[in-house]
Amino acid sequence: SKAILLNKDAIAVNQDPLGQQGYRVTPKNNTELWARNLNDGSVAVGLYNKDMTNSSLSEDITVQFNQVGFVGNVTVYDIWKQAVVGVFQNNFTSTVPSHGTGFFKLSQA
């Protein structure tokens, strides 16, 4: 949709000057966690629910902060909603709809 294409936060992740490629954090499965280190020390994470067998099935996908280089308190920012979700310790879980994504920016609090 137009809102996604014009999302300034998503564009900033795409155009980040560090230029690092994203990498898969979890094994290939029905749900996946991908991460990309950003120039400002934060990490963009994509949560993917690839389940196409049941369109009503949402999955809880958890980011363990130590998997992406953080310890302690981390600020979680929802890139799609353009809003801070909150500050979390050790991990963050998001419910992702079937064949959907979550897109977040994590930074040390």
Side-chain angles (χ1 to χ4, degrees):
S1 82
K2 186 176 178 180
I4 292 172
L5 294 174
L6 297 177
N7 183 311
K8 66 178 180 64
D9 298 316
I11 293 168
V13 169
N14 177 266
Q15 299 297 312
D16 186 75
L18 187 60
Q20 268 194 359
Q21 180 175 326
Y23 58 94
R24 187 189 341 249
V25 176
T26 57
K28 192 172 185 178
N29 206 334
N30 276 344
T31 63
E32 293 183 8
L33 169 63
W34 287 74
R36 181 180 189 196
N37 297 322
L38 302 176
N39 190 54
D40 65 359
S42 62
V43 177
V45 293
L47 288 59
Y48 299 100
N49 179 358
K50 300 188 319 180
D51 189 348
M52 295 173 34
T53 59
N54 184 348
S55 62
S56 65
L57 184 63
S58 294
E59 289 282 346
D60 288 340
I61 303 175
T62 299
V63 180
Q64 298 293 337
F65 296 146
N66 64 354
Q67 292 177 299
V68 293
F70 290 115
V71 294
N73 293 334
V74 172
T75 300
V76 177
Y77 179 84
D78 189 319
I79 292 174
W80 291 145
K81 294 179 181 177
Q82 297 182 297
V84 173
V85 179
V87 176
F88 298 83
Q89 188 172 25
N90 300 321
N91 62 60
F92 167 73
T93 300
S94 179
T95 302
V96 181
S98 177
H99 207 62
T101 62
F103 194 18
F104 302 91
K105 183 176 178 180
L106 309 179
S107 55
Q108 197 73 58

